[in-house]
Amino acid sequence: MSLDVSDPLALARACAAAMWEKDLASRSLGMSLDAVGPGEARLSLTVTAEMTNGHKTCHGGYIFTLADSAFAFACNSYNQNTVAQHCSVTFMRPAFEGDRLTASAREISRIGRGGIYDIRVTNQNGEHVAEFRGHSRTVKGTPIPAPG
């Protein structure tokens, strides 16, 4: 069965599947890849005791990592290897052990080799935990082999 590269959703899903297979970091933290489409992705994870800091809240690095992973799947959905050029995060409220966090990434702009993506992290109650903005840059290569 060959991939129909003219179908943007099928292409995004194939890119995500290829990346997910190699993404030991996201998988080892217990993340799940919940949805992907052209320029968008949604990942989630449950905060474990090992992810909490001295305040008994989720360490910000884990929240950043979840958002960064959603960013990666969103910006690599066009079968062009894409990396982070710059990222920033604003923490809105704490997350706690047992919380289920969801990072929803959406493309804001993609021009030439650069892109801008906003990623909202929410908890299981839909409360806004963090806002992440990622700037991407395409590099050589593709997540899946180019047809032909």
Side-chain angles (χ1 to χ4, degrees), residues 109-121:
S109 174
R110 188 168 68 100
I111 300 170
R113 293 182 57 206
I116 299 173
Y117 294 78
D118 282 345
I119 298 84
R120 177 166 284 204
V121 179

Side-chain angles (χ1 to χ4, degrees), residues 66-101:
L66 174 63
D68 187 47
S69 289
F71 169 44
F73 282 93
C75 66
N76 279 278
S77 62
Y78 300 103
N79 203 30
Q80 175 66 51
N81 283 348
T82 307
V83 297
Q85 183 177 34
H86 172 77
C87 303
S88 64
V89 66
T90 302
F91 300 105
M92 312 303 287
R93 67 169 26 91
F96 301 93
E97 181 181 351
D99 281 354
R100 184 73 180 171
L101 301 181

